[in-house]
Amino acid sequence: MLKVNPLPAAPPTVARPYLVWLGRWHGWLLLGLWVLVQVSLLVQHHGPRYVNDSGRYLAYGTRIAREWYFEHDHNLRYVGYPLFISLWLKLGAGWWGIVLGQMAVSGLAARAFYRTLRRLTPVPADWRPAALATAALVGWRDAQQFNVYILTESLFASLTILSFWALVRARRGPAERWVVFGLLVLLAGIVRPNGFVVAAAAGLAGLARLWQLPGRRAFRRALLAGALLAPLWWWVLNKLLLTFTLVETYLRGEIIYGYTPWVVEPTEPLLLPPPGLAPVLRLGYFIMANPVYFAKLAALKGLLFFSYVKTYYSWSHIGLIVLFIYPCYWLAGRGLRASAAWLPARVFLGGVVAVQGLVVMLTVEDWDVRFLLPVLPCVFALAGVAVAHWLHARAPVAQAEQ
């Protein structure tokens, strides 16, 4: 019998020589893009950018550097960032040290982001999906602009990416890698109050991993343990909400914090919670007593948050968002459903997006893109997963056509 060998794929050096060149040099191109964006941000803002909240972080970091004094109550929820600031102040590097330190962590996170997506692709040798997603991460200015601000956002976004890297890296290898993942999740959790978003996403990823195990006995045990720890979750939630005036924010009808042109006016008198209730109970009481008003507020906040567009943005900015970010949203949805990609990684990325969106719906949207910042890397990563699986599915068709 005559044995017929399948037709080999055309060598990339013959079919697409530019891909060979990009495959060799794309890492340096990504580095150059990252450097270009960082320099342009420093030039645009004339160095480190000081804004309203910067003062309290700097004052807190100075006290830690000089006296090793840690504040209580509200500022305790940001302790990770003043610790970061205190390191550079202790070294005498000042504001420039803080900002350059944030840039260094951001660059490390971008590299980890690229390497992680290479691990998640069906064919790790195919560099294209990881390179495209990383180019989006380092080239989209809104995802990088807070590197020059003395604010928590840059460090928080970088730690979210590094947690994603550690999770995927822990999939294979020694158990110590899970310790690294846990430490990074903890660091993200203490940088700012909504740092628990990363911990929540990590918990969902852990449940997804247990769901994959045969028999799912470990999954059921984890759910039982979570239920038994309900008093702890109750205590943590009340502590987190203790210094936030959510009900008062609802009374003002704010969609964007401090932005009065966009407010929701109640159509009937609002019922307020009685004094003395725990913060979680106050919030629950207000929601149950004013369901239509709260639902309208939450829906508008969520829509504005994910739409990304603000009327005070320039038309060019709005156009770029619609033409680039919205397709990334669509691709991210496809990536979330890409069954060939490791389920816990997809759940972690989707968990960050969903929980952060829920936090904004329960609290308030920000004037700028600050609250969307940790979401953008997750969107780009899921979009990269979708592109990787599309290329993988297309490869046999391309080979058959040759």
Side-chain angles (χ1 to χ4, degrees):
M1 181 181 291
L2 179 64
K3 184 177 180 181
V4 179
N5 293 322
L7 291 174
T13 53
V14 175
R16 297 188 178 98
Y18 69 91
L19 284 179
V20 177
W21 185 87
L22 283 175
R24 179 179 301 172
W25 297 105
H26 72 276
W28 290 104
L29 292 173
L30 288 172
L31 176 61
L33 177 62
W34 180 85
V35 171
L36 179 64
V37 170
Q38 307 310 310
V39 171
S40 70
L41 289 169
L42 286 172
V43 171
Q44 175 188 347
H45 296 289
H46 308 288
R49 181 72 184 272
Y50 181 99
V51 291
N52 290 338
D53 287 339
S54 302
R56 62 191 180 97
Y57 299 140
L58 288 167
Y60 194 179
T62 300
R63 295 200 68 179
I64 293 175
R66 292 178 179 175
E67 309 167 24
W68 199 242
Y69 175 81
F70 292 88
E71 297 182 16
H72 304 288
D73 301 325
H74 187 72
N75 279 343
L76 184 63
R77 293 156 177 76
Y78 299 87
V79 67
Y81 191 59
L83 271 172
F84 179 81
I85 288 176
S86 69
L87 169 65
W88 300 104
L89 296 181
K90 197 76 173 176
L91 294 173
W95 292 10
W96 275 97
I98 297 168
V99 165
L100 292 178
Q102 289 176 172
M103 286 184 172
V105 178
S106 172
L108 180 65
R111 185 174 187 272
F113 183 86
Y114 171 84
R115 293 174 66 88
T116 304
L117 286 180
R118 289 290 293 266
R119 289 191 178 100
L120 282 179
T121 56
V123 183
D126 189 355
W127 52 269
R128 293 172 295 173
L132 287 171
T134 307
L137 175 67
V138 302
W140 187 252
R141 287 176 66 86
D142 285 351
Q144 299 290 320
Q145 67 167 324
F146 287 99
N147 290 347
V148 301
Y149 285 66
I150 302 179
L151 290 173
T152 62
E153 274 68 24
S154 172
L155 193 59
F156 178 56
S158 296
L159 287 170
T160 302
I161 296 171
L162 290 171
S163 298
F164 169 54
W165 162 80
L167 171 66
V168 176
R169 185 170 175 266
R171 180 183 182 183
R172 296 185 177 91
E176 290 79 6
R177 292 183 176 181
W178 288 105
V179 177
V180 174
F181 172 61
L183 288 174
L184 287 169
V185 170
L186 176 62
L187 288 175
I190 64 173
V191 164
R192 53 178 294 109
N194 68 320
F196 71 88
V197 166
V198 179
L204 292 173
L207 288 175
R209 180 69 186 98
L210 295 177
W211 175 267
Q212 292 180 312
L213 298 179
R216 294 177 182 163
R217 180 178 299 177
F219 175 79
R220 291 191 292 270
R221 288 178 177 175
L223 290 181
L224 178 60
L228 293 176
L229 290 173
L232 175 62
W233 309 137
W234 178 264
W235 179 83
V236 169
L237 280 174
N238 279 297
K239 280 291 184 182
L240 287 173
L241 294 176
L242 187 61
T243 58
F244 289 95
T245 54
L246 293 183
V247 172
E248 289 72 16
T249 302
Y250 296 155
L251 294 178
R252 295 193 297 269
E254 289 182 340
I255 302 173
I256 298 176
Y257 182 76
Y259 188 64
T260 54
W262 290 355
V263 294
V264 175
E265 297 289 346
T267 56
E268 56 187 23
L270 299 175
L271 299 176
L272 302 181
L277 290 181
V280 175
L281 289 178
R282 291 188 79 233
L283 178 61
Y285 183 98
F286 185 89
I287 293 172
M288 298 300 294
N290 310 277
V292 176
Y293 177 72
F294 173 80
K296 187 185 299 184
L297 266 179
L300 288 172
K301 292 172 188 175
L303 179 63
L304 186 63
F305 174 70
F306 284 111
S307 74
Y308 196 163
V309 171
K310 309 290 195 299
T311 56
Y312 43 80
Y313 285 177
S314 67
W315 283 109
S316 60
H317 195 180
I318 293 173
L320 286 172
I321 290 170
V322 172
L323 293 175
F324 179 68
I325 295 297
Y326 287 6
C328 285
Y329 279 163
W330 179 78
L331 284 172
R334 297 288 297 259
L336 195 60
R337 299 190 299 271
S339 58
W342 192 42
L343 179 62
R346 290 184 284 126
V347 169
F348 177 84
L349 295 170
V352 171
V353 175
V355 178
Q356 178 71 353
L358 180 62
V359 167
V360 171
M361 292 172 71
L362 287 174
T363 55
V364 70
E365 168 65 321
D366 191 71
W367 167 269
D368 215 328
V369 72
R370 290 170 64 181
F371 296 165
L372 193 66
L373 183 58
V375 167
L376 290 175
C378 300
V379 170
F380 296 150
L382 287 169
V385 169
V387 170
H389 286 75
W390 177 76
L391 290 173
H392 180 60
R394 185 176 176 273
V397 177
Q399 290 182 13
E401 292 175 348
Q402 292 175 1

